[in-house]
């Protein structure tokens, strides 16, 4: 229900306290119904296990000690007093702490192994991408330059310019693939801790840079009534916007326009990127932002490695924003939100 980087990760203290209160209340109710100290003990230890799995170790230890005190206060005779004057009370406390530590260490080990598996998966996919998506533009560059070198004397100026233009275009595509791979690797390792060097930047300027880099006359920007100045790391946001707009151009039929428009809420600046391509099935809209996921069929163009949208989302989220796909009857509309509290 909640991802590791979602609600629980941001509210570990609150969730731990809530688990403690719920298990304590349930334990007291269970004791009044069954009068079974063992059942109560198991319920309280279950709460300790849950907190150990989802929260930091010191929180798990705190819940373990608190649960032991709850058991001592409500269940152990004489009731409604705190006392540690016999061996059973001390053993109960030690068992609660041992459960918390053992479960916490096990949880840390599982998370560490999961992270190593994710890193290995990224490396494997990068190798696959290098062997396929990078080889194609590299072969095109080499072919164009070798042809120019071999047949220069037999080619007129227009043919030479065409070969040079092809080499330049493919080299730019190669550069974008490499840039996305580097960003994907960095985001995989650093995630929300990605270091950002922010400064006030006009989103208008970044959009202009992206359109200029794309050289796509089909991209148009709608009139706007907002002043999109945010404090961001400009190079990263430009890369994210480039990936999104290039994706829209790639999956649009030739001649169909890609429209960029703006909106705003009290908290965020909104950027809408709309294309008239085949769209993305609702059932697969979450997958489209996964690394190396590329299933939307391009219209007479290369579909790419599937890294662009994943990198774009990682960059936007590192800035405190998000990307989502809006429901449309035709094509695909992506909404980028960037928090306005970053603005100056």
């Amino acid at each position: 229900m909640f991802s590791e980087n979602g609600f629980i990760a941001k509210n570990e203290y609150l969730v731990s306290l809530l688990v403690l209160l719920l298990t304590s209340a349930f334990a007291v109710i269970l004791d009044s119904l069954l009068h079974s100290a063992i059942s109560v003990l198991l319920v309280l230890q279950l709460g300790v296990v849950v907190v150990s799995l989802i929260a930091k170790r010191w929180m798990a230890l705190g819940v373990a000690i608190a649960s032991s005190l709850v058991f001592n206060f409500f269940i152990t005779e004489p009731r409604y007093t705190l006392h540690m004057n016999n061996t059973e009370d001390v053993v109960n406390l030690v068992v609660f702490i041992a459960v918390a530590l053992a479960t916490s260490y096990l949880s840390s080990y599982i998370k560490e192994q999961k992270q190593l598996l994710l890193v290995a998966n990224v490396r494997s996919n990068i190798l696959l991408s290098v062997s396929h998506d990078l080889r194609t533009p590299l072969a095109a560059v080499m072919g164009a330059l070798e042809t120019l070198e071999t047949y220069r004397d037999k080619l007129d100026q227009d043919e030479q310019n065409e070969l040079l233009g092809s080499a330049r275009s493919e080299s730019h595509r190669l550069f974008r693939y490499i840039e996305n791979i580097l960003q994907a690797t960095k985001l995989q390792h650093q995630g929300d801790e990605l270091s950002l060097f922010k400064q006030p930047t006009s989103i208008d300027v970044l959009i202009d840079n992206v359109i200029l880099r794309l050289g796509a006359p089909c991209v148009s920007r709608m009139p706007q009534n907002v002043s999109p100045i945010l404090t961001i790391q400009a190079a990263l946001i430009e890369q994210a916007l480039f990936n999104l707009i290039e994706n829209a151009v790639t999956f649009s039929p030739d001649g169909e326009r890609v429209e960029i428009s703006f909106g705003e809420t009290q908290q965020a600046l909104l950027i809408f990127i709309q294309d008239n391509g085949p769209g993305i099935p609702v059932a697969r809209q979450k997958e489209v932002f996964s690394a190396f996921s590329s299933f939307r069929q391009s219209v007479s163009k290369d579909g790419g490695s599937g890294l662009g949208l994943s990198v774009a989302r990682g960059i936007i989220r590192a800035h405190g924003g998000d990307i989502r796909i809006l429901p449309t009857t035709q094509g695909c509309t992506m909404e980028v939100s960037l928090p306005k509290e970053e603005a100056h």
Side-chain angles (χ1 to χ4, degrees):
M1 182 177 179
F2 301 110
S3 66
E4 289 182 10
N5 295 320
F7 178 82
I8 290 178
K10 296 177 181 177
N11 300 275
E12 287 182 342
Y13 179 80
L14 178 62
V15 173
S16 300
L17 181 61
L18 184 60
V19 171
L20 174 62
L21 293 176
L22 288 176
T23 53
S24 298
F26 183 67
V28 172
I29 294 172
L30 191 64
D31 177 64
S32 66
L33 295 175
L34 302 179
H35 304 289
S36 172
I38 296 299
S39 299
V40 172
L41 196 62
L42 291 175
V43 168
L44 291 172
Q45 288 182 353
L46 177 61
V48 173
V49 170
V50 170
V51 173
S52 300
L53 290 173
I54 64 176
K56 294 182 177 66
R57 188 165 297 139
W58 69 267
M59 295 184 189
L61 287 174
V63 170
I65 294 172
S67 296
S68 174
L69 295 178
V70 168
F71 184 80
N72 187 284
F73 185 83
F74 288 101
I75 309 303
T76 305
E77 298 290 346
R79 298 191 178 218
Y80 311 118
T81 61
L82 289 175
H83 53 277
M84 289 286 175
N85 51 10
N86 59 60
T87 304
E88 184 179 354
D89 297 328
V90 175
V91 169
N92 284 336
L93 176 60
V94 171
V95 169
F96 272 103
I97 293 176
V99 168
L101 288 175
T103 308
S104 181
Y105 276 109
L106 179 61
S107 176
S108 297
Y109 175 77
I110 292 174
K111 290 177 181 177
E112 183 178 313
Q113 294 302 309
K114 182 180 178 181
Q115 183 63 28
L116 290 175
L117 183 61
L118 287 173
V119 171
N121 186 52
V122 169
R123 288 175 178 172
S124 176
N125 283 322
I126 286 175
L127 288 175
L128 291 174
S129 180
V130 168
S131 66
H132 179 266
D133 294 309
L134 301 188
R135 185 171 56 186
T136 301
L138 183 59
V141 171
M142 293 173 61
L145 294 179
E146 287 176 359
T147 301
L148 184 62
E149 181 182 29
T150 304
Y151 301 103
R152 182 187 297 272
D153 296 338
K154 300 179 181 180
L155 299 174
D156 59 35
Q157 190 62 44
D158 289 340
E159 290 173 327
Q160 293 183 29
N161 291 338
E162 183 179 352
L163 286 170
L164 287 174
S166 175
R168 182 173 57 251
S169 175
E170 292 298 321
S171 66
H172 288 169
R173 183 153 71 103
L174 181 63
F175 174 79
R176 294 197 298 272
Y177 282 155
I178 294 174
E179 181 67 21
N180 279 330
I181 287 175
L182 293 175
Q183 291 297 344
T185 305
K186 185 183 297 185
L187 289 167
Q188 179 66 39
H189 284 282
Q190 299 182 14
D192 295 336
E193 298 179 0
L194 182 67
S195 298
L196 298 175
F197 302 95
K198 302 178 182 179
Q199 59 184 3
T201 305
S202 169
I203 299 297
D204 275 340
V205 173
L206 297 188
I207 295 291
D208 288 340
N209 291 343
V210 168
I211 294 175
L212 184 63
R213 287 172 59 189
L214 279 172
C218 63
V219 179
S220 63
R221 184 168 50 187
M222 304 298 290
Q224 62 196 56
N225 297 316
V226 297
S227 179
I229 302 292
L230 299 178
T231 300
I232 54 177
Q233 183 161 338
L236 286 180
I237 294 296
E238 182 177 326
Q239 180 65 35
L241 293 174
F242 182 92
N243 289 352
L244 293 170
I245 298 173
E246 182 189 41
N247 178 79
V249 172
T250 298
F251 294 104
S252 291
D254 290 334
E256 292 288 341
R257 302 201 67 77
V258 172
E259 294 184 350
I260 303 169
S261 57
F262 293 87
E264 62 179 337
T265 65
Q266 287 187 336
Q267 294 79 26
L269 170 71
L270 306 177
I271 305 170
F272 303 97
I273 302 168
Q274 181 178 5
D275 66 58
N276 293 303
I280 302 172
V282 175
R284 306 196 69 177
Q285 287 183 359
K286 291 183 179 180
E287 299 176 40
V288 76
F289 293 106
S290 299
F292 301 97
S293 174
S294 181
F295 52 81
R296 186 159 69 140
Q297 296 299 312
S298 66
V299 182
S300 71
K301 300 182 183 73
D302 176 43
S305 62
L307 269 177
L309 296 185
S310 175
V311 169
R313 184 180 66 169
I315 291 172
I316 297 298
R317 286 187 170 179
H319 282 77
D322 205 355
I323 304 175
R324 66 189 184 109
I325 300 174
L326 301 182
T328 55
T329 56
Q330 182 181 0
C332 177
T333 299
M334 292 197 179
E335 176 194 86
V336 179
S337 62
L338 287 167
K340 292 167 70 173
E341 56 262 30
E342 298 291 347
H344 291 286

mmCIF file with all atom_site columns, all heavy atoms in Angstrom, residues 300-316:
data_model
loop_
_atom_site.group_PDB
_atom_site.id
_atom_site.type_symbol
_atom_site.label_atom_id
_atom_site.label_alt_id
_atom_site.label_comp_id
_atom_site.label_asym_id
_atom_site.label_entity_id
_atom_site.label_seq_id
_atom_site.pdbx_PDB_ins_code
_atom_site.Cartn_x
_atom_site.Cartn_y
_atom_site.Cartn_z
_atom_site.occupancy
_atom_site.B_iso_or_equiv
_atom_site.pdbx_formal_charge
_atom_site.auth_seq_id
_atom_site.auth_comp_id
_atom_site.auth_asym_id
_atom_site.auth_atom_id
_atom_site.pdbx_PDB_model_num
ATOM 1   N N   . SER A 1 300 ? 6.892  5.464  -36.805 1.00 0.00 ? 300 SER A N   1
ATOM 2   C CA  . SER A 1 300 ? 8.018  5.536  -37.752 1.00 0.00 ? 300 SER A CA  1
ATOM 3   C C   . SER A 1 300 ? 9.280  6.114  -37.130 1.00 0.00 ? 300 SER A C   1
ATOM 4   O O   . SER A 1 300 ? 10.128 6.659  -37.790 1.00 0.00 ? 300 SER A O   1
ATOM 5   C CB  . SER A 1 300 ? 7.650  6.369  -38.998 1.00 0.00 ? 300 SER A CB  1
ATOM 6   O OG  . SER A 1 300 ? 7.543  7.748  -38.676 1.00 0.00 ? 300 SER A OG  1
ATOM 7   N N   . LYS A 1 301 ? 9.404  5.989  -35.819 1.00 0.00 ? 301 LYS A N   1
ATOM 8   C CA  . LYS A 1 301 ? 10.603 6.491  -35.146 1.00 0.00 ? 301 LYS A CA  1
ATOM 9   C C   . LYS A 1 301 ? 11.094 5.453  -34.164 1.00 0.00 ? 301 LYS A C   1
ATOM 10  O O   . LYS A 1 301 ? 10.370 4.577  -33.736 1.00 0.00 ? 301 LYS A O   1
ATOM 11  C CB  . LYS A 1 301 ? 10.339 7.812  -34.425 1.00 0.00 ? 301 LYS A CB  1
ATOM 12  C CG  . LYS A 1 301 ? 9.878  8.936  -35.331 1.00 0.00 ? 301 LYS A CG  1
ATOM 13  C CD  . LYS A 1 301 ? 9.702  10.186 -34.532 1.00 0.00 ? 301 LYS A CD  1
ATOM 14  C CE  . LYS A 1 301 ? 9.178  11.330 -35.384 1.00 0.00 ? 301 LYS A CE  1
ATOM 15  N NZ  . LYS A 1 301 ? 7.800  11.197 -35.741 1.00 0.00 ? 301 LYS A NZ  1
ATOM 16  N N   . ASP A 1 302 ? 12.340 5.607  -33.747 1.00 0.00 ? 302 ASP A N   1
ATOM 17  C CA  . ASP A 1 302 ? 12.908 4.675  -32.771 1.00 0.00 ? 302 ASP A CA  1
ATOM 18  C C   . ASP A 1 302 ? 12.295 4.923  -31.412 1.00 0.00 ? 302 ASP A C   1
ATOM 19  O O   . ASP A 1 302 ? 12.209 6.048  -30.943 1.00 0.00 ? 302 ASP A O   1
ATOM 20  C CB  . ASP A 1 302 ? 14.433 4.883  -32.701 1.00 0.00 ? 302 ASP A CB  1
ATOM 21  C CG  . ASP A 1 302 ? 15.077 4.024  -31.646 1.00 0.00 ? 302 ASP A CG  1
ATOM 22  O OD1 . ASP A 1 302 ? 14.704 2.844  -31.548 1.00 0.00 ? 302 ASP A OD1 1
ATOM 23  O OD2 . ASP A 1 302 ? 15.943 4.530  -30.928 1.00 0.00 ? 302 ASP A OD2 1
ATOM 24  N N   . GLY A 1 303 ? 11.898 3.849  -30.731 1.00 0.00 ? 303 GLY A N   1
ATOM 25  C CA  . GLY A 1 303 ? 11.254 3.979  -29.430 1.00 0.00 ? 303 GLY A CA  1
ATOM 26  C C   . GLY A 1 303 ? 12.199 4.295  -28.303 1.00 0.00 ? 303 GLY A C   1
ATOM 27  O O   . GLY A 1 303 ? 11.782 4.682  -27.234 1.00 0.00 ? 303 GLY A O   1
ATOM 28  N N   . GLY A 1 304 ? 13.506 4.113  -28.501 1.00 0.00 ? 304 GLY A N   1
ATOM 29  C CA  . GLY A 1 304 ? 14.463 4.436  -27.463 1.00 0.00 ? 304 GLY A CA  1
ATOM 30  C C   . GLY A 1 304 ? 14.586 3.343  -26.421 1.00 0.00 ? 304 GLY A C   1
ATOM 31  O O   . GLY A 1 304 ? 14.032 2.260  -26.516 1.00 0.00 ? 304 GLY A O   1
ATOM 32  N N   . SER A 1 305 ? 15.352 3.641  -25.372 1.00 0.00 ? 305 SER A N   1
ATOM 33  C CA  . SER A 1 305 ? 15.691 2.657  -24.357 1.00 0.00 ? 305 SER A CA  1
ATOM 34  C C   . SER A 1 305 ? 14.689 2.595  -23.224 1.00 0.00 ? 305 SER A C   1
ATOM 35  O O   . SER A 1 305 ? 14.775 1.731  -22.371 1.00 0.00 ? 305 SER A O   1
ATOM 36  C CB  . SER A 1 305 ? 17.076 2.980  -23.782 1.00 0.00 ? 305 SER A CB  1
ATOM 37  O OG  . SER A 1 305 ? 17.052 4.253  -23.157 1.00 0.00 ? 305 SER A OG  1
ATOM 38  N N   . GLY A 1 306 ? 13.750 3.529  -23.168 1.00 0.00 ? 306 GLY A N   1
ATOM 39  C CA  . GLY A 1 306 ? 12.787 3.522  -22.080 1.00 0.00 ? 306 GLY A CA  1
ATOM 40  C C   . GLY A 1 306 ? 13.305 4.166  -20.812 1.00 0.00 ? 306 GLY A C   1
ATOM 41  O O   . GLY A 1 306 ? 12.709 4.024  -19.748 1.00 0.00 ? 306 GLY A O   1
ATOM 42  N N   . LEU A 1 307 ? 14.433 4.871  -20.892 1.00 0.00 ? 307 LEU A N   1
ATOM 43  C CA  . LEU A 1 307 ? 15.001 5.520  -19.714 1.00 0.00 ? 307 LEU A CA  1
ATOM 44  C C   . LEU A 1 307 ? 14.499 6.948  -19.517 1.00 0.00 ? 307 LEU A C   1
ATOM 45  O O   . LEU A 1 307 ? 14.487 7.449  -18.396 1.00 0.00 ? 307 LEU A O   1
ATOM 46  C CB  . LEU A 1 307 ? 16.531 5.568  -19.827 1.00 0.00 ? 307 LEU A CB  1
ATOM 47  C CG  . LEU A 1 307 ? 17.323 4.407  -19.239 1.00 0.00 ? 307 LEU A CG  1
ATOM 48  C CD1 . LEU A 1 307 ? 18.796 4.608  -19.522 1.00 0.00 ? 307 LEU A CD1 1
ATOM 49  C CD2 . LEU A 1 307 ? 17.089 4.299  -17.746 1.00 0.00 ? 307 LEU A CD2 1
ATOM 50  N N   . GLY A 1 308 ? 14.101 7.601  -20.602 1.00 0.00 ? 308 GLY A N   1
ATOM 51  C CA  . GLY A 1 308 ? 13.819 9.038  -20.559 1.00 0.00 ? 308 GLY A CA  1
ATOM 52  C C   . GLY A 1 308 ? 12.787 9.432  -19.530 1.00 0.00 ? 308 GLY A C   1
ATOM 53  O O   . GLY A 1 308 ? 13.000 10.353 -18.732 1.00 0.00 ? 308 GLY A O   1
ATOM 54  N N   . LEU A 1 309 ? 11.630 8.758  -19.505 1.00 0.00 ? 309 LEU A N   1
ATOM 55  C CA  . LEU A 1 309 ? 10.561 9.123  -18.580 1.00 0.00 ? 309 LEU A CA  1
ATOM 56  C C   . LEU A 1 309 ? 10.934 8.800  -17.146 1.00 0.00 ? 309 LEU A C   1
ATOM 57  O O   . LEU A 1 309 ? 10.576 9.529  -16.218 1.00 0.00 ? 309 LEU A O   1
ATOM 58  C CB  . LEU A 1 309 ? 9.255  8.422  -18.965 1.00 0.00 ? 309 LEU A CB  1
ATOM 59  C CG  . LEU A 1 309 ? 8.658  8.806  -20.321 1.00 0.00 ? 309 LEU A CG  1
ATOM 60  C CD1 . LEU A 1 309 ? 7.304  8.136  -20.514 1.00 0.00 ? 309 LEU A CD1 1
ATOM 61  C CD2 . LEU A 1 309 ? 8.520  10.317 -20.458 1.00 0.00 ? 309 LEU A CD2 1
ATOM 62  N N   . SER A 1 310 ? 11.654 7.688  -16.945 1.00 0.00 ? 310 SER A N   1
ATOM 63  C CA  . SER A 1 310 ? 12.096 7.330  -15.603 1.00 0.00 ? 310 SER A CA  1
ATOM 64  C C   . SER A 1 310 ? 13.039 8.383  -15.039 1.00 0.00 ? 310 SER A C   1
ATOM 65  O O   . SER A 1 310 ? 12.917 8.801  -13.882 1.00 0.00 ? 310 SER A O   1
ATOM 66  C CB  . SER A 1 310 ? 12.783 5.968  -15.630 1.00 0.00 ? 310 SER A CB  1
ATOM 67  O OG  . SER A 1 310 ? 13.334 5.648  -14.367 1.00 0.00 ? 310 SER A OG  1
ATOM 68  N N   . VAL A 1 311 ? 13.978 8.829  -15.866 1.00 0.00 ? 311 VAL A N   1
ATOM 69  C CA  . VAL A 1 311 ? 14.920 9.870  -15.438 1.00 0.00 ? 311 VAL A CA  1
ATOM 70  C C   . VAL A 1 311 ? 14.183 11.177 -15.170 1.00 0.00 ? 311 VAL A C   1
ATOM 71  O O   . VAL A 1 311 ? 14.443 11.859 -14.173 1.00 0.00 ? 311 VAL A O   1
ATOM 72  C CB  . VAL A 1 311 ? 16.016 10.067 -16.507 1.00 0.00 ? 311 VAL A CB  1
ATOM 73  C CG1 . VAL A 1 311 ? 16.836 11.323 -16.223 1.00 0.00 ? 311 VAL A CG1 1
ATOM 74  C CG2 . VAL A 1 311 ? 16.925 8.843  -16.556 1.00 0.00 ? 311 VAL A CG2 1
ATOM 75  N N   . ALA A 1 312 ? 13.233 11.525 -16.056 1.00 0.00 ? 312 ALA A N   1
ATOM 76  C CA  . ALA A 1 312 ? 12.470 12.767 -15.876 1.00 0.00 ? 312 ALA A CA  1
ATOM 77  C C   . ALA A 1 312 ? 11.728 12.754 -14.550 1.00 0.00 ? 312 ALA A C   1
ATOM 78  O O   . ALA A 1 312 ? 11.752 13.738 -13.798 1.00 0.00 ? 312 ALA A O   1
ATOM 79  C CB  . ALA A 1 312 ? 11.486 12.951 -17.033 1.00 0.00 ? 312 ALA A CB  1
ATOM 80  N N   . ARG A 1 313 ? 11.058 11.664 -14.244 1.00 0.00 ? 313 ARG A N   1
ATOM 81  C CA  . ARG A 1 313 ? 10.317 11.589 -12.979 1.00 0.00 ? 313 ARG A CA  1
ATOM 82  C C   . ARG A 1 313 ? 11.260 11.674 -11.782 1.00 0.00 ? 313 ARG A C   1
ATOM 83  O O   . ARG A 1 313 ? 10.963 12.349 -10.791 1.00 0.00 ? 313 ARG A O   1
ATOM 84  C CB  . ARG A 1 313 ? 9.505  10.295 -12.906 1.00 0.00 ? 313 ARG A CB  1
ATOM 85  C CG  . ARG A 1 313 ? 8.636  10.236 -11.641 1.00 0.00 ? 313 ARG A CG  1
ATOM 86  C CD  . ARG A 1 313 ? 7.819  8.968  -11.548 1.00 0.00 ? 313 ARG A CD  1
ATOM 87  N NE  . ARG A 1 313 ? 8.664  7.794  -11.395 1.00 0.00 ? 313 ARG A NE  1
ATOM 88  C CZ  . ARG A 1 313 ? 8.200  6.589  -11.077 1.00 0.00 ? 313 ARG A CZ  1
ATOM 89  N NH1 . ARG A 1 313 ? 6.898  6.409  -10.925 1.00 0.00 ? 313 ARG A NH1 1
ATOM 90  N NH2 . ARG A 1 313 ? 9.019  5.569  -10.953 1.00 0.00 ? 313 ARG A NH2 1
ATOM 91  N N   . GLY A 1 314 ? 12.408 10.994 -11.867 1.00 0.00 ? 314 GLY A N   1
ATOM 92  C CA  . GLY A 1 314 ? 13.365 11.057 -10.763 1.00 0.00 ? 314 GLY A CA  1
ATOM 93  C C   . GLY A 1 314 ? 13.853 12.469 -10.497 1.00 0.00 ? 314 GLY A C   1
ATOM 94  O O   . GLY A 1 314 ? 13.961 12.899 -9.343  1.00 0.00 ? 314 GLY A O   1
ATOM 95  N N   . ILE A 1 315 ? 14.136 13.211 -11.563 1.00 0.00 ? 315 ILE A N   1
ATOM 96  C CA  . ILE A 1 315 ? 14.604 14.597 -11.413 1.00 0.00 ? 315 ILE A CA  1
ATOM 97  C C   . ILE A 1 315 ? 13.510 15.483 -10.835 1.00 0.00 ? 315 ILE A C   1
ATOM 98  O O   . ILE A 1 315 ? 13.759 16.277 -9.913  1.00 0.00 ? 315 ILE A O   1
ATOM 99  C CB  . ILE A 1 315 ? 15.074 15.141 -12.776 1.00 0.00 ? 315 ILE A CB  1
ATOM 100 C CG1 . ILE A 1 315 ? 16.356 14.426 -13.215 1.00 0.00 ? 315 ILE A CG1 1
ATOM 101 C CG2 . ILE A 1 315 ? 15.294 16.652 -12.713 1.00 0.00 ? 315 ILE A CG2 1
ATOM 102 C CD1 . ILE A 1 315 ? 16.795 14.759 -14.631 1.00 0.00 ? 315 ILE A CD1 1
ATOM 103 N N   . ILE A 1 316 ? 12.293 15.352 -11.372 1.00 0.00 ? 316 ILE A N   1
ATOM 104 C CA  . ILE A 1 316 ? 11.183 16.175 -10.884 1.00 0.00 ? 316 ILE A CA  1
ATOM 105 C C   . ILE A 1 316 ? 10.891 15.875 -9.428  1.00 0.00 ? 316 ILE A C   1
ATOM 106 O O   . ILE A 1 316 ? 10.679 16.792 -8.613  1.00 0.00 ? 316 ILE A O   1
ATOM 107 C CB  . ILE A 1 316 ? 9.919  15.952 -11.751 1.00 0.00 ? 316 ILE A CB  1
ATOM 108 C CG1 . ILE A 1 316 ? 10.167 16.394 -13.206 1.00 0.00 ? 316 ILE A CG1 1
ATOM 109 C CG2 . ILE A 1 316 ? 8.727  16.697 -11.172 1.00 0.00 ? 316 ILE A CG2 1
ATOM 110 C CD1 . ILE A 1 316 ? 10.485 17.855 -13.377 1.00 0.00 ? 316 ILE A CD1 1
#
